[in-house]
Amino acid sequence: MAVSKKTTEKAVKKTEKKSGEGKKGGRKQGDKSRSSKAGLTFPVGRLHRHLKEGQFAKRVGIGAPVYLAAVLEYLTAEILELAGNASRDNKRVRIIPRHIMLAIRNDEELNKLLSDVTISAGGVLPNIHQQLLPAAKEGEEEGTGGKAPKGGASQTY
């Protein structure tokens, strides 16, 4: 059962494939994606496919997915920038849902856009109503040291 050296070399050559050979649906050398042509990170081709499969309209124009990808990329970048600032304010390195919620609710336009959105584990905005805060007494402002006025009444009306 000795196998000759020539037959093993032929078997090795058959199994070796050149680069790009045998791949299905790969990108040719020099082809540029629509995302890179538009200078975007979001996938234009995938958005185009979802627009067609979603049956939002009978026909989908060639510029629609590019525009949609640009808008989604801009909104994502805006939210992530504000959430990064919120995480830095809280002395954190990672962005958590709380930071995203704070970023959206503190920005007027994003709050209006996402007013009906609930962010899981986002919490609420820190807000204490003015009437619940202790009122500054008149005696403290004058410099009496916060002592009750003479006469026995502890509250002023």
Side-chain angles (χ1 to χ4, degrees):
M1 283 200 94
V3 180
S4 68
K5 192 175 184 180
K6 289 182 180 179
T7 55
T8 56
E9 288 177 8
K10 286 181 183 178
V12 170
K13 285 183 181 179
K14 285 183 182 179
T15 58
E16 291 178 4
K17 292 187 177 182
K18 297 176 184 175
S19 63
E21 191 177 308
K23 292 182 182 177
K24 294 182 181 177
R27 187 169 298 284
K28 295 178 187 173
Q29 188 79 15
D31 281 352
K32 287 185 78 175
S33 67
R34 287 188 282 171
S35 298
S36 64
K37 285 180 184 177
L40 298 171
T41 306
F42 272 53
V44 173
R46 184 178 299 175
L47 288 171
H48 194 185
R49 186 183 79 231
H50 287 305
L51 284 172
K52 288 190 293 187
E53 290 176 356
Q55 297 179 347
F56 302 107
K58 288 183 180 178
R59 299 168 11 156
V60 177
I62 198 70
V66 178
Y67 194 89
L68 179 61
V71 169
L72 289 175
E73 187 170 320
Y74 169 74
L75 286 173
T76 304
E78 188 73 20
I79 290 172
L80 284 176
E81 181 183 352
L82 294 172
N85 294 342
S87 68
R88 196 176 323 115
D89 292 344
N90 291 326
K91 298 181 177 85
R92 299 282 189 268
V93 177
R94 292 191 182 116
I95 296 174
I96 59 174
R98 171 81 177 157
H99 301 143
I100 296 172
M101 195 278 307
L102 288 172
I104 290 171
R105 299 299 170 227
N106 287 327
D107 187 77
E108 185 180 338
E109 292 173 341
L110 286 174
N111 189 27
K112 186 176 181 183
L113 177 68
L114 302 171
S115 61
D116 55 345
V117 173
T118 302
I119 297 173
S120 178
V124 296
L125 279 178
N127 185 23
I128 301 173
H129 201 278
Q130 284 292 340
Q131 292 178 341
L132 297 175
L133 294 173
K137 298 179 183 178
E138 294 176 15
E140 290 178 0
E141 292 175 4
E142 295 175 4
T144 58
K147 296 181 181 176
K150 293 181 181 177
S154 62
Q155 295 176 343
T156 57
Y157 294 101

